[in-house]
Amino acid sequence: MLKRWSDFRRHQRASLRASNVRTPMAHDGTSQPVDSPRGGLLTDTLPVGQDAPPFGRDAPPVGPDGPPTASDAPPPASEPLPPSSPILDLGRRHFGTAGRPLNHQTPFYVGFVGALGVFAAYGLYRALGQLTQVITLLVIASFLTLTLNPLVEALGKHGLRRPLSVAIVFAGLVAAFTALGFVVIPPVAQQGGLLADHAPTYLNDVLANGFVRDLDSQYHVLGKLQVELQKLATNGNFMGGIFGGVLGAGRALASGLFAILTVLVLTLYFLSSLPRVKEAAYAMVPSSRRPRIVSLSEEIMRRVGSYAIGQVAVATINAILSYVMLSVVGIHYAAVLAVVVGVLGLIPMVGASIGAALVCLVAVFDEPQKAAIALVYYVVYQQVENYVVAPRIMQRTISVPGVVTVIAALVGATLAGVLGALLAMPVAAGLLLIYEEVVLPRQRQN
């Protein structure tokens, strides 16, 4: 029975293929067989009252004796269909054969598809431009996740479950951000208030200066300045700009606080789901290459995390010792300058030098002797940091040549500012590992 059904289906497919070829009319005008859309060759001598044999869903079921024959066809209906019925026309008309597919090599097709690709690329570029801030927050959160993950795994080795380890590490991170805010915000607010309170005194001292008095007696500078200030005070655009700047500063502060909160929340989620994310990412790699990809990825993440922790430790030591030195010497704004030195110390190679130069510049306006003491301190400290502190802390991280470090820092700072300079070193370390473990062995084999 199965063989008969297979033969019947093969016959149907052959009839369908044959129906795509139209037999032309003879020269003498006699009727020739024409193809039927129902799957067989029909003639135009088919009687008007007779329909084409059923096909498809209308065909009768196949019995055990093979395909149905003409004797098995159902009796005609009691009322024949009118001659204009589409069913009758279906057996007499020819609807044409399927045309050839479009030529993909034509200039119109190539240009049209190319234009669609250009529009899609431009739309993607605009979308990425609108998502710059979101991408930046995701990158920062990912970097913090890789930085804190070694601490979470270290707590896990002591028997703690991952949720508890994540909670402990995240609480420490929040405490660090809170302490940093308490260290920076109160001195800045206090010193800003002192500056506003002493502003009239500073102005009176300037006006009482002999040089200013002589200049005013000859050119009437103070009178002209007073007139210009009155004009500015009555200028609506100027006042609107001032209030707009104040409101803009308020919006910037609110946006910064929201960004910090977003980064902390994303870091918490990334730390909690990091094992599942890695498993999902590794599952997309072919099984034949999965072990090597997993080992390289784990090593890159481990070294990036270790480098970040080491760099934070070095910068923290620099900030603490700088605060002690600034307090002992008596340089103003010690807390704020120490925090700035610590943040700049996160930038490899050049960050510590920039922080030292900034401290010495501030100390010059206070007292030149203090600036000289700070300069000597930073020259000595940087030698100790480069040859004693940093090698001991960074001994487990990948060693990157100094030239590569400087180039990576410059490229990162040019592309993404301070954030790019901070992330340049881990990216360079990962690329260097891929170069040593993938590119060089493959070149040796070839």
Side-chain angles (χ1 to χ4, degrees):
M1 177 178 177
L2 294 177
K3 186 176 182 304
R4 291 177 180 178
W5 172 253
S6 177
D7 294 340
F8 175 66
R9 295 296 297 171
R10 190 180 301 111
H11 173 71
Q12 284 184 322
R13 288 194 294 270
S15 300
L16 286 174
R17 285 193 296 268
S19 66
N20 289 327
V21 181
R22 181 183 177 88
T23 305
M25 298 293 292
H27 294 287
D28 56 357
T30 59
S31 61
Q32 297 292 331
V34 295
D35 52 341
S36 170
R38 287 182 169 239
L41 292 178
L42 302 174
T43 61
D44 52 2
T45 58
L46 185 68
V48 176
Q50 182 178 351
D51 192 6
F55 175 75
R57 295 182 178 178
D58 299 332
V62 179
D65 297 332
T69 59
S71 60
D72 299 329
S78 58
E79 296 182 2
L81 295 173
S84 61
S85 174
I87 299 180
L88 294 179
D89 295 340
L90 190 61
R92 300 171 60 102
R93 292 182 180 178
H94 177 71
F95 294 96
T97 58
R100 294 183 178 181
L102 293 176
N103 186 4
H104 294 177
Q105 304 299 326
T106 59
F108 176 78
Y109 184 87
V110 174
F112 184 75
V113 175
L116 288 180
V118 171
F119 282 127
Y122 180 72
L124 181 61
Y125 170 76
R126 292 294 301 272
L128 291 178
Q130 297 293 330
L131 297 176
T132 302
Q133 185 177 2
V134 178
I135 295 174
T136 302
L137 296 180
L138 289 176
V139 171
I140 296 176
S142 302
F143 183 70
L144 283 178
T145 301
L146 295 180
T147 303
L148 299 176
N149 188 57
L151 300 178
V152 175
E153 294 181 352
L155 292 177
K157 292 180 180 179
H158 290 80
L160 296 179
R161 300 180 62 183
R162 186 172 183 86
L164 182 58
S165 303
V166 170
I168 295 175
V169 173
F170 187 76
L173 179 64
V174 173
F177 272 95
T178 305
L180 187 64
F182 278 111
V183 168
V184 174
I185 295 177
V188 171
Q190 181 182 4
Q191 292 159 10
L194 291 176
L195 179 61
D197 293 338
H198 291 83
T201 304
Y202 294 151
L203 181 59
N204 293 329
D205 294 340
V206 171
L207 295 178
N209 188 275
F211 175 76
V212 175
R213 286 182 175 276
D214 294 338
L215 190 65
D216 180 60
S217 62
Q218 295 179 6
Y219 300 101
H220 304 286
V221 176
L222 296 180
K224 295 179 180 179
L225 181 60
Q226 184 178 4
V227 172
E228 293 297 330
L229 290 177
Q230 290 178 354
K231 290 181 180 180
L232 291 177
T234 57
N235 190 352
N237 294 330
F238 177 75
M239 299 304 295
I242 292 178
F243 285 109
V246 173
L247 294 177
R251 285 195 298 267
L253 180 60
S255 177
L257 294 176
F258 177 75
I260 292 175
L261 180 61
T262 303
V263 168
L264 291 177
V265 173
L266 288 176
T267 303
L268 177 61
Y269 278 114
F270 288 168
L271 275 177
S272 303
S273 60
L274 184 61
R276 294 191 297 272
V277 172
K278 292 193 295 185
E279 290 177 2
Y282 295 151
M284 294 187 295
V285 181
S287 58
S288 59
R289 299 183 179 182
R290 192 173 301 165
R292 181 167 176 78
I293 295 295
V294 170
S295 61
L296 286 174
S297 301
E298 292 292 336
E299 181 64 16
I300 289 175
M301 287 187 289
R302 186 194 68 80
R303 294 191 177 187
V304 168
S306 300
Y307 168 79
I309 293 176
Q311 194 70 19
V312 169
V314 172
T316 303
I317 294 173
N318 188 7
I320 294 174
L321 295 180
S322 297
Y323 177 74
V324 173
M325 184 271 300
L326 293 172
S327 301
V328 171
V329 176
I331 299 176
H332 296 300
Y333 319 119
V336 178
L337 289 177
V339 172
V340 172
V341 168
V343 173
L344 292 176
L346 297 175
I347 302 176
M349 298 295 294
V350 296
S353 300
I354 295 175
L358 183 61
V359 171
C360 294
L361 181 62
V362 174
V364 165
F365 291 98
D366 186 9
E367 190 174 344
Q369 291 81 2
K370 297 180 180 179
I373 295 174
L375 179 61
V376 172
Y377 164 78
Y378 278 114
V379 169
V380 175
Y381 172 76
Q382 288 189 5
Q383 304 304 316
V384 176
E385 179 184 290
N386 294 334
Y387 295 101
V388 179
V389 178
R392 292 181 178 273
I393 296 178
M394 297 292 191
Q395 60 183 354
R396 295 190 58 194
T397 61
I398 187 171
S399 59
V400 180
V403 177
V404 177
T405 302
V406 174
I407 294 175
L410 292 177
V411 172
T414 303
L415 294 178
V418 178
L419 178 63
L422 294 177
L423 300 179
M425 188 62 182
V427 173
L431 294 178
L432 184 61
L433 180 62
I434 294 176
Y435 171 77
E436 293 177 351
E437 298 295 335
V438 178
V439 178
L440 290 184
R442 186 171 297 176
Q443 294 299 324
R444 295 191 188 102
Q445 292 177 359
N446 295 332

